[in-house]
Amino acid sequence: MKKVKIAILGFGNVGTGVWKILLENKKEIMKRSNYEIEVAKILIKDINKKRDIIVSKEILTDNIDDIINDESIKIVVELIGGCDDAKEYMIRVMKAKKHIVTANKLVIANWSDELFKIAEKEKVLFYYEASVAGGIPIIREINESLTANRIQQIIGIINGTTNYILSKMTNDGISFDEALKEAQEKGYAEADPTSDVDGYDAVYKLAIMASLSFGTKINHDAIYREGIRNISSLDIKYAKKFGYTIKLLAIAKEESNKLELRVHPTLVPTIHPMANVNDVFNSIMIKGNAVGELMLYGRGAGDLPTGSAVVGDIISILRNNVKPSDVSDASEQSNLKEIKKSEENESKFYIRLNINNKVGVLRDVAKVFAENNISIISVTEDVRHDDYAPLAFITHKSSEKNIKNSLEKIKWLENINKIESIIRIESFN
Ligand code: HSE
């Protein structure tokens, strides 16, 4: 049996998951890769820190040079996260002719072009399956299984933290703040939850998937983004009444060579499988012109699910069934595609107003919608209060521009207190 030495940069949640899988599934991994894998070095910040996992002190180092300069190490697994150090280490590792496996969505979403070019030049492999949706094998799906297709759309729940929060709000009737606190206590949400709840994490992951699927370089800044902080219990209640469940969706569609890219809270028909993806689970639906619709479901985070994707990449490198030139698809993506402005997008909308409970308000609002070519499917009003009432609408498919123009007028109508919510609806067609 051949032997191969690898190094792991970072020994947090995912790093220890990788270690456990290599130990627990050693026999299977040896059989499938034809190699015995030895973790020769682990880069950590504090060598003396107490750990749950027993690891020989000899393999721990706080100096990246110990790994870069060790010619016997052939594969480096980058799991330190963040940006600057991770990117610099990856470049140095590749220049030392070592293959890379990473789970770092931030680095891939920002610098894939530069990194893939270096990988190509140095003739090393660069794998990043774990960077999107943890244990769900989405990158390989797009890069290998679906290469016969023209991908038409990707719609996904790709952030477990927000899905947990929205599931709790929907199923237990609690507020955003209460659900966020619970997510933090369970270790799903960070102390500073910005990256998850404001949609940045999902934007990075969408940029990676969409770049690969549509054969173009997508700058994550070009993706429309809205988080879930403003979703209220009342919206969840009305959505339910109209037959919908609120989810944070990442959406990428290509139509007539133009791309539509957005991450935002969305009303999903409750009968659609995507509405029933709950808690921290992720799900991604892809539509290809040959395969049709395809849906993946699984754990988007966690030590073992993410570790599963990382170790899968290590085995792929050892099998070497993909040549270095094949892994640099993204660097060859010279045909930049136009990204639609958000106001060009069209969808059905859910709109909730706070109005004074007076005769004629509904008529006035409906008139403005009609003047802007917006047709209403359903209305619901809660008249439990004497003087004010929430009034919620579902519209037919309309352009964002028309919706914006109408609301600009509606907000100044007599007896309109506030436009509380505007949430897009996904019809999955
Ligand atoms: N914070 C991410 C999530 C997991 O909540 O899905 C890592 O990508």
Side-chain angles (χ1 to χ4, degrees), residues 91-359:
I91 293 173
R92 291 186 61 200
V93 162
M94 288 191 282
K95 289 192 169 164
K97 307 282 182 207
K98 303 178 197 303
H99 302 295
I100 289 266
V101 174
T102 181
N104 197 323
K105 58 187 166 257
L106 213 61
V107 169
I108 303 296
N110 279 293
W111 294 290
S112 59
D113 272 6
E114 184 184 339
L115 292 168
F116 294 158
K117 271 184 194 135
I118 298 173
E120 196 170 21
K121 180 165 173 265
E122 301 298 338
K123 301 218 174 313
V124 296
L125 294 163
F126 190 112
Y127 279 15
Y128 50 98
E129 180 62 71
S131 65
V132 179
I136 299 180
I138 184 66
I139 302 294
R140 197 158 281 120
E141 194 76 26
I142 297 170
N143 268 347
E144 295 177 27
S145 316
L146 297 177
T147 39
N149 287 263
R150 194 176 334 114
I151 305 280
Q152 295 159 319
Q153 50 172 261
I154 309 167
I155 301 181
I157 295 173
I158 50 176
N159 182 269
T161 306
T162 45
N163 202 41
Y164 179 84
I165 293 172
L166 291 172
S167 301
K168 282 277 147 191
M169 290 175 72
T170 305
N171 301 328
D172 300 351
I174 58 176
S175 68
F176 169 79
D177 289 335
E178 288 167 317
L180 170 61
K181 196 162 160 263
E182 243 185 61
Q184 282 169 325
E185 281 161 6
K186 290 207 161 188
Y188 300 144
E190 317 254 342
D192 174 0
T194 309
S195 168
D196 292 318
V197 302
D198 293 325
Y200 293 97
D201 176 82
V203 159
Y204 293 133
K205 293 169 180 167
L206 184 67
I208 297 172
M209 288 194 292
S211 295
L212 291 172
S213 302
F214 301 128
T216 186
K217 172 70 192 154
I218 288 163
N219 186 340
H220 58 83
D221 288 333
I223 298 179
Y224 176 83
R225 177 189 55 78
E226 240 179 70
I228 64 162
R229 279 185 207 268
N230 295 329
I231 299 297
S232 76
S233 305
L234 214 49
D235 292 322
I236 298 219
K237 186 180 124 187
Y238 283 147
K240 226 184 239 180
K241 210 166 160 183
F242 285 127
Y244 295 96
T245 304
I246 302 183
K247 294 286 178 192
L248 182 76
L249 291 191
I251 298 171
K253 298 182 180 178
E254 177 167 16
E255 231 179 61
S256 323
N257 252 334
K258 274 192 174 184
L259 299 181
E260 193 174 316
L261 300 164
R262 43 201 172 93
V263 167
H264 51 68
T266 314
L267 265 67
V268 175
T270 302
I271 51 166
H272 192 277
M274 199 62 92
N276 297 294
V277 174
N278 282 314
D279 299 324
V280 286
F281 278 89
N282 283 198
S283 179
I284 301 165
M285 210 186 90
I286 301 188
K287 194 169 168 187
N289 67 340
V291 74
E293 281 156 359
L294 180 75
M295 196 165 157
L296 301 167
Y297 170 87
R299 291 177 193 278
D303 57 351
L304 297 178
T306 312
S308 154
V310 169
V311 176
D313 276 353
I314 298 172
I315 296 171
S316 288
I317 289 177
L318 294 174
R319 284 175 165 175
N320 203 7
N321 56 2
V322 180
K323 294 182 200 75
S325 56
D326 293 338
V327 290
S328 53
D329 289 3
S331 69
E332 289 155 11
Q333 292 157 357
S334 50
N335 61 331
L336 282 174
K337 289 188 178 165
E338 190 183 337
I339 298 176
K340 277 197 205 166
K341 288 193 195 81
S342 102
E343 57 181 31
E344 289 177 67
N345 295 337
E346 286 190 347
S347 64
K348 290 182 182 175
F349 278 83
Y350 158 90
I351 294 161
R352 178 165 64 86
L353 310 175
N354 178 320
I355 62 164
N356 290 333
N357 215 349
K358 296 269 160 57
V359 173

